[in-house]
Amino acid sequence: MTLFLQAVADGLQMGLLYALVAVGLAIIWGLMEMINFAHGEFMMLGMFGAWGLSAWLGWDPLITMVPLAVVMYGAGVLVYRVLMQKVQRGEMFTQIFATVGLFFFIQNGVVALFTSDYRFINASLLTRLSGANLTVGGVRIGVPLLVGGLIALALFLILYLLIDRTDFGLALQATAEDRDAAMLVGIRPQRMYAVAWGLGTALVAIAGVILANFFSVYPQAGLSFTVLAYAIVALGGFGSILGTLMAALLVGVVQSVTAAYLPPAFKDAFVFASYILIGLFRPQGLFGRF
Amino acid sequence: MRILRVIVAVAVLFFVAVQLGPGARAAGPVSEVLIGELLPLTGNFASLGQQYLWAGQTVEDIVNNDYPDLKVPLGPGKGFPGLGGAKMTLVVRDDQSRGDQARTLAEQLITVNKVHWLNGEGTSGNTSIIQPLVESYGIPMTCHACASPTLTEKGFKWFYRTGPNDGTMVASVFQFLKEWPDHGGPKDLKTIALFTCDNLFCQDNRKIALDLSEKAGYKIVADLTTKTGATTLASEVQRLQSANPDVLFSVQYPAETTIFQADMKRANYMPKVLATSNGAYSDQTWLNAQKATNGAAAWLGRDPTAIDLASKKPSWKQVNEIYKKYSRGQDMGELAMREITGMLWMADTINRAKSVEPAALAKAANETDMKPDMMIIDYKGIKFDKNRQNELATGVVTQIGWDNDKHTIWPWDLAAQAGFKTMYPAPSWPERESHKK
Amino acid sequence: MLGALVALLYPIPFERSGQIYYETVGFLVLLNAMLGIGWNIIGGWAGQFDFGPSIFFAIGAYTAALLTINLGWNAWLALLGAMVVSAAICAAVTYPVTKLRGHYFAIATVAMWMIAQPIGATWPLINGSQGLFIPVATGGGFVHGVLTMEFPGRGKGLGFYYLSLALFTITLLAARAIERSKWGFYFRAVRDDQDGAEAIGIDSRLYKVIARCLMAVVFAAGGTLYGFWALAVFPDQVLEVNWNILPMMAAVVGGLGRLWGPVLGAVVLIPISQLMATTLGTGPLAGRGIDLIIYGAIIMVIAGWRPNGLLSLPWSEWAARLRGHASASGKA
């Protein structure tokens, strides 16, 4: 029984980290329906940023999180204005094509600058706390992961309030649902998309900064999280920020529990099988609006 | 049909571009020996590929420049004396860790650049994809650090390997474990667990380890295969913890090993013996990163040479200095050592052949009988069996100490020279923390 | 006609100069063009996002390999077997998920791809991650080579080029026939207005399945061709992400939904990436991924400049202008 409870607890903790990675995508893709193949690469840039500032200036990632988020916000807006805005004129599929190019460009740009060596952050608050545990009822909860998870929750709350409770959020939703109608009521769609890209990129970069405390930093690091992020946004349902969070927790738990009892090589496969299964009963995801 | 015209136009343009490109080389005495270097320089295996590249650049440097005191083949003197001073040129290609790209670029190297020798691909899987192709063109091919036994067991006539394969490597670890009780080791190791990633390299190791474990009489309490690219291994750690093996045999790449270690630390899990073969253990960057956490102390695994002893050899030190020019300061890891040794053998073979004709190269290669004193590695020599596998490629078993360096612990005569006391049981995580001061 | 002539004669100069590599580039272009045409059926005509077509590529490669190795079937029979098995599996797994629409369906195809990976890596029948090796056929001349899909020695480049040309041509002709048939009409109806189509009695789920399984058949054929070309089938190689995105990119670059779109896309993309790999990915810059950086940049430029695909360029205008110039100078 403890094995099971521990697996659930581990799954919830990882789920919060996955939620952190997925939240940026939930805005760009879940809300604004723009496909971004390079999502994981922005996360990786966040990781490198955190590592670089930690290694050369000794600044803690929890602090550098803020300036890096601002810089990456700008990067997201830039990518939209220079590339995606033009691509929007064409087929939906061209977005994939364009962001595949972006993927190659960013990943190999980092390889060129930093090579493919594995790098680690050694001197941050969270890494110094590594190994510290809280034990609740026989179940172990790692402190650093808990901190990461709390930051994820906080970001989700802010984002939920932003999207669902503010005029700005409503404007974003309106643009996503019907661009022409939104223009009629005075919303400028280009600006909405640019902001969405900026926000989404900033959020996933923050995810990278946090994750850099726990995982090795290397150019190919984005891949394993990205595929899960896509599944999570779709599972949660398009247009629902809360849905993404719930889906992330579910994914984390399914992954963790199946790895504890079934062949571990299949743990991601079970996650995706659950997606299909749930999709058969709820074709718009858990909380999807469209 | 205007679309057809477009396609025709593009094809013609490409055709023209090609004709303006590198043409066929003139026959006759060579001034340049072309060595094809086909490596995974981007993609999943990039961190391996770059170590191979630096190794290749090191050998190119050694051959082409004069190092009068360096006791390795073609150290002194410039170029290939047997070819009138011809120089060695690496022609490097990146296959992005993809098999189809590897095969295509191999064909490019052979038919367009007309390389005389193909070195690559660096990973066993992709190397097996290019083997039939190179075989059909009939030029020598090598992958010194590719460990899968199948590469030399399929009857290819042009593939040579100077390094040991997984069969030998895993066997040395088990041999050490078998003899350990008679040399001051624990006498009660009865259970074993296997923990491997799901790709070709790890699974080869796993199959051999399963076989050897049964033969040695261990009880296999867990046999977990994990997905490469995993983001967490917490549940796997839980399962291993409850299985509680005496020996954990783990074969994983550096990224997954790091995740594994972090999850072990959280669970405060450490088996009594942690054994491995290649994978992270061969990766210099992983090793360097363990310094801060003592995460690698007491790990034991196979190495091609007694690094602690070899590094005392002047030739090792000299070659390392040259290597560091290309690796931005990183020391030679064991992967680089295997590769450099193999490529120096290749240079020596070309020199002995006094020709770049494939038949002459094959003859010189098959006649190889290289002695250990000219090597920076501790093989007993280089001599090929009928499968063109170096039968004198041995290895040692090393263990990482508190100093984060590898120390020889087997064979026993070399271990005595190294003078390192084996660590048992592997220290717990709190111990590793407190040792950090 | 001119195009067909070029395609047929393309490898000849390379045979003479011994630069067989360029024939293999041609092979890759034809293979990916063929896959692109297949993908266009579900992606371009039926308008469904399929991001995991490589599972059928893998099914094709493995089925053909197993039939050849374990049962000793002839290569062409194995090809047929691969196509049949692929279509069957496709129908079985696709029907349930046709309930999902748009992006949800897309993720379902990704899910299938992710599920296929550990199966490929651990299933003992296909030897898991240690791969299957197709035995090298010995001896025989060109005819024997065609029969076994294995060409001896240096004939490889030429043989596979023409083999892929043949399969590509068959696929192209079949696709053209489908485009003009009732099926093609139904596919486009489902793409443009699924609810409307259902209202007039078109079973959208059925036609989505048919479209996807036609693609599955093409990919299986491609996979079989790949298997005999590489002589080794490894799960991480046949399920590799590039087999998912390259055919799709070729179709999009050329012009989604246009019959010749994927062909143009493949002819543009593959030579560029090969050129980059062989010139920029080497020498002192090697290992820095410079070739891929430029490749990525080129892709982004094409996407931004011509988001509807290169076929949308005013080729007819340019051709007319050229003709106009020619006749003008002829008259003068």
Side-chain angles (χ1 to χ4, degrees):
Chain A
M1 195 50 184
T2 340
L3 177 69
F4 179 73
L5 285 176
Q6 183 66 53
V8 171
D10 288 334
L12 287 172
Q13 291 200 293
M14 282 309 291
L16 284 175
L17 288 185
Y18 294 149
L20 195 56
V21 177
V23 73
L25 196 60
I27 302 207
I28 296 180
W29 184 47
L31 195 57
M32 309 307 279
E33 294 216 345
M34 295 195 76
I35 301 185
N36 183 9
F37 210 84
H39 185 69
E41 305 316 298
F42 290 119
M43 182 190 92
M44 183 264 295
L45 286 177
M47 290 176 101
F48 266 91
W51 166 78
L53 291 174
S54 167
W56 296 324
L57 293 174
W59 291 353
D60 195 293
L62 289 175
I63 302 176
T64 57
M65 199 164 74
V66 177
L68 281 171
V70 171
V71 168
M72 292 305 288
Y73 178 91
V77 171
L78 186 71
V79 167
Y80 176 74
R81 291 245 180 250
V82 171
L83 179 64
M84 302 310 290
Q85 200 169 326
K86 299 197 175 72
V87 168
Q88 267 186 313
R89 288 180 293 145
E91 291 276 350
M92 170 74 81
F93 280 107
T94 316
Q95 292 171 18
I96 307 169
F97 182 62
T99 50
V100 164
L102 193 59
F103 166 84
F104 279 120
F105 187 77
I106 296 181
Q107 191 177 103
N108 289 286
V110 174
V111 170
L113 290 172
F114 294 101
T115 81
S116 298
D117 285 346
Y118 296 99
R119 296 186 159 84
F120 303 87
I121 294 186
N122 287 317
S124 75
L125 178 65
L126 290 182
T127 54
R128 262 180 260 129
L129 283 175
S130 82
N133 288 324
L134 287 178
T135 317
V136 176
V139 165
R140 231 180 12 247
I141 302 181
V143 169
L145 279 180
L146 189 62
V147 172
L150 288 174
I151 296 180
L153 278 174
L155 282 173
F156 258 92
L157 194 62
I158 296 175
L159 205 63
Y160 170 70
L161 292 173
L162 186 69
I163 303 287
D164 275 30
R165 296 291 162 90
T166 64
D167 283 346
F168 171 73
L170 286 175
L172 267 181
Q173 291 181 52
T175 315
E177 267 194 59
D178 190 336
R179 209 188 309 186
D180 297 321
M183 275 205 292
L184 282 175
V185 295
I187 298 173
R188 274 179 294 152
Q190 310 281 18
R191 188 158 168 272
M192 292 291 114
Y193 279 107
V195 171
W197 268 81
L199 258 185
T201 310
L203 284 167
V204 77
I206 294 180
V209 171
I210 303 288
L211 288 180
N213 286 294
F214 309 120
F215 296 95
S216 16
V217 178
Y218 59 107
Q220 294 83 14
L223 205 53
S224 24
F225 286 93
T226 312
V227 190
L228 280 178
Y230 271 92
I232 288 170
V233 174
L235 182 60
F238 280 75
S240 168
I241 302 293
L242 236 29
T244 306
L245 178 61
M246 293 293 121
L249 293 173
L250 181 63
V251 162
V253 172
V254 168
Q255 212 190 30
S256 184
V257 171
T258 53
Y261 294 101
L262 298 166
F266 283 82
K267 63 183 178 188
D268 283 347
F270 283 117
V271 166
F272 286 96
S274 324
Y275 167 79
I276 294 184
L277 227 64
I278 295 181
L280 292 180
F281 294 106
R282 283 190 69 87
Q284 73 279 32
L286 292 175
F287 296 99
R289 281 185 215 163
F290 39 81
Chain B
M1 286 303 109
R2 58 200 111 110
I3 299 162
L4 264 179
R5 273 185 231 195
V6 165
I7 297 181
V8 166
V10 174
V12 166
L13 279 171
F14 184 59
F15 179 80
V16 169
V18 153
Q19 293 305 318
L20 295 174
R25 263 181 322 103
V30 285
S31 59
E32 213 182 7
V33 178
L34 297 174
I35 311 289
E37 271 274 82
L38 183 61
L39 301 172
L41 295 171
T42 54
N44 291 333
F45 299 117
S47 75
L48 289 178
Q50 67 180 11
Q51 293 177 58
Y52 284 120
L53 178 66
W54 298 333
Q57 289 167 325
T58 306
V59 171
E60 192 186 25
D61 188 330
I62 292 178
V63 168
N64 289 339
N65 296 315
D66 181 23
Y67 292 96
D69 305 316
L70 184 52
K71 274 196 163 56
V72 296
L74 277 80
K78 291 195 184 180
F80 289 98
L83 287 167
K87 65 175 185 148
M88 175 172 137
T89 306
L90 286 183
V91 187
V92 181
R93 295 279 180 264
D94 170 22
D95 65 20
Q96 299 172 31
S97 310
R98 288 163 50 192
D100 57 322
Q101 193 72 344
R103 192 201 173 288
T104 308
L105 289 174
E107 196 159 35
Q108 197 259 356
L109 283 169
I110 298 176
T111 61
V112 176
N113 291 93
K114 308 240 193 294
V115 296
H116 302 112
W117 190 298
L118 185 65
N119 194 45
E121 185 266 358
T123 61
S124 300
N126 290 339
T127 304
S128 38
I129 291 182
I130 60 179
Q131 274 179 320
L133 180 81
V134 183
E135 187 83 356
S136 69
Y137 283 109
I139 66 166
M141 176 186 166
T142 44
C143 177
H144 304 286
C146 287
S148 177
T150 54
L151 291 174
T152 43
E153 283 162 13
K154 282 192 264 162
F156 288 116
K157 297 195 180 32
W158 289 96
F159 180 76
Y160 294 84
R161 172 161 55 193
T162 58
N165 64 35
D166 280 325
T168 336
M169 295 202 263
V170 178
S172 7
V173 175
F174 276 84
Q175 191 65 16
F176 161 77
L177 289 172
K178 179 164 160 210
E179 297 172 3
W180 203 10
D182 298 326
H183 287 87
K187 299 199 196 320
D188 56 351
L189 297 176
K190 302 247 179 321
T191 55
I192 193 170
L194 302 175
F195 187 61
T196 50
C197 79
D198 66 356
N199 78 5
L200 172 67
F201 155 70
C202 299
Q203 289 299 303
D204 273 342
N205 275 279
R206 172 175 159 267
K207 297 249 165 75
I208 298 172
L210 273 175
D211 184 50
L212 291 175
S213 302
E214 281 174 15
K215 291 208 179 90
Y218 284 102
K219 180 161 178 293
I220 301 175
V221 293
D223 177 11
L224 298 179
T225 301
T226 62
K227 189 169 190 287
T228 334
T231 50
T232 171
L233 291 166
S235 294
E236 289 84 337
V237 167
Q238 271 219 83
R239 286 173 80 161
L240 289 173
Q241 211 171 14
S242 47
N244 199 20
D246 294 325
V247 179
L248 177 63
F249 184 69
S250 162
V251 185
Q252 299 277 356
Y253 284 104
E256 289 78 15
T257 307
T258 314
I259 295 176
F260 181 51
Q261 288 172 291
D263 286 329
M264 278 205 289
K265 188 170 183 185
R266 254 173 247 130
N268 195 13
Y269 169 62
M270 182 56 68
K272 293 192 231 167
V273 177
L274 214 163
T276 180
S277 179
N278 267 339
Y281 200 72
S282 306
D283 191 305
Q284 199 61 15
T285 45
W286 174 82
L287 191 60
N288 290 341
Q290 304 309 305
K291 243 197 207 8
T293 56
N294 287 327
W299 283 57
L300 63 93
R302 180 221 66 88
D303 263 322
T305 194
I307 291 185
D308 45 351
L309 299 177
S311 55
K312 300 201 178 76
K313 260 194 207 179
S315 58
W316 190 97
K317 287 201 209 143
Q318 285 172 288
V319 172
N320 196 35
E321 286 310 305
I322 303 174
Y323 179 80
K324 279 169 36 173
K325 283 196 296 188
Y326 300 101
S327 67
R328 289 163 305 111
Q330 228 183 76
D331 278 331
M332 277 195 299
E334 71 101 351
L335 196 74
M337 286 170 67
R338 276 188 276 165
E339 184 72 1
I340 289 178
T341 304
M343 289 184 79
L344 285 172
W345 161 80
M346 171 189 75
D348 180 68
T349 302
I350 297 173
N351 200 37
R352 278 183 289 121
K354 295 201 186 1
S355 151
V356 287
E357 290 308 308
L361 291 172
K363 183 161 176 294
N366 291 331
E367 289 171 352
T368 304
D369 188 1
M370 198 181 245
K371 302 294 176 213
D373 56 346
M374 286 294 266
M375 294 193 277
I376 59 171
I377 219 173
D378 264 349
Y379 298 160
K380 296 201 172 41
I382 299 185
K383 202 164 175 190
F384 295 104
D385 65 13
K386 59 175 168 48
N387 287 331
R388 278 156 281 277
Q389 162 74 49
N390 179 15
E391 54 192 11
L392 300 177
T394 52
V396 301
V397 177
T398 55
Q399 189 175 40
I400 299 179
W402 286 114
D403 53 3
N404 211 51
D405 281 329
K406 289 180 175 172
H407 299 272
T408 309
I409 56 175
W410 182 90
W412 307 109
D413 51 341
L414 289 179
Q417 275 184 52
F420 173 78
K421 186 170 179 334
T422 50
M423 292 170 71
Y424 176 82
S428 68
W429 288 101
E431 279 183 74
R432 291 171 198 259
E433 274 294 306
S434 59
H435 230 268
K436 271 201 242 181
K437 325 295 186 264
Chain C
M1 270 302 102
L2 186 57
L5 204 63
V6 167
L8 279 172
L9 293 180
Y10 171 75
I12 308 294
F14 302 118
E15 269 302 300
R16 297 194 29 171
S17 69
Q19 297 181 328
I20 316 260
Y21 159 71
Y22 294 104
E23 299 172 19
T24 302
V25 174
F27 164 79
L28 288 176
V29 170
L30 289 167
L31 176 62
N32 279 286
M34 180 174 120
L35 294 177
I37 293 177
W39 189 85
N40 219 1
I41 300 179
I42 179 95
W45 296 343
Q48 306 299 311
F49 307 156
D50 189 336
F51 290 144
S54 62
I55 59 176
F56 302 111
F57 188 78
I59 291 175
Y62 272 115
T63 309
L66 285 173
L67 290 173
T68 309
I69 298 172
N70 293 356
L71 296 179
W73 282 25
N74 167 269
W76 290 90
L77 288 178
L79 172 67
L80 281 168
M83 286 160 62
V84 167
V85 169
S86 179
I89 297 183
C90 166
V93 299
T94 305
Y95 190 71
V97 297
T98 47
K99 245 184 154 193
L100 304 171
R101 296 170 70 147
H103 294 269
Y104 294 107
F105 177 81
I107 297 297
T109 62
V110 172
M112 289 189 211
W113 176 59
M114 291 298 287
I115 295 173
Q117 286 174 21
I119 296 178
T122 57
W123 197 12
L125 177 69
I126 57 172
N127 210 17
S129 56
Q130 292 176 303
L132 285 179
F133 295 96
I134 297 183
V136 181
T138 43
F142 195 72
V143 176
H144 174 85
V146 172
L147 283 178
T148 57
M149 283 207 213
E150 291 189 39
F151 303 91
R154 290 146 199 261
K156 274 203 185 29
L158 201 64
F160 277 104
Y161 178 82
Y162 284 117
L163 200 54
S164 62
L165 185 60
L167 287 176
F168 162 78
T169 311
I170 297 174
T171 308
L172 188 64
L173 292 173
R176 197 163 73 144
I178 295 174
E179 189 185 28
R180 299 174 183 187
S181 75
K182 243 194 323 179
W183 276 3
F185 173 72
Y186 290 151
F187 295 152
R188 285 191 291 278
V190 168
R191 174 191 68 193
D192 292 333
D193 186 350
Q194 186 171 328
D195 297 317
E198 301 230 329
I200 61 171
I202 298 176
D203 184 347
S204 67
R205 292 185 72 174
L206 174 65
Y207 286 100
K208 285 185 197 175
V209 172
I210 294 180
R212 192 164 191 236
C213 296
L214 286 171
M215 175 204 80
V217 163
V218 173
F219 268 75
T224 307
L225 195 57
Y226 168 84
F228 281 94
W229 177 71
L231 288 176
V233 185
F234 287 102
D236 53 337
Q237 291 299 325
V238 289
L239 286 171
E240 215 237 328
V241 72
N242 273 289
W243 296 117
N244 282 334
I245 59 179
L246 248 176
M248 187 192 319
M249 292 217 294
V252 172
V253 162
L256 196 61
R258 313 277 297 265
L259 182 65
W260 287 89
V263 184
L264 180 58
V267 165
V268 167
L269 285 176
I270 293 185
I272 289 181
S273 77
Q274 286 295 320
L275 207 64
M276 296 288 122
T278 53
T279 52
L280 292 176
T282 80
L285 289 178
R288 302 300 225 169
I290 307 280
D291 55 323
L292 288 171
I293 297 178
I294 310 266
Y295 182 62
I298 292 180
I299 292 179
M300 289 195 282
V301 166
I302 296 181
W305 176 52
R306 274 281 167 267
N308 273 317
L310 290 173
L311 274 179
S312 66
L313 282 169
W315 301 105
S316 40
E317 272 181 47
W318 295 354
R321 252 185 266 156
L322 274 174
R323 261 183 270 127
H325 275 208
S327 58
S329 54
K331 272 190 214 150

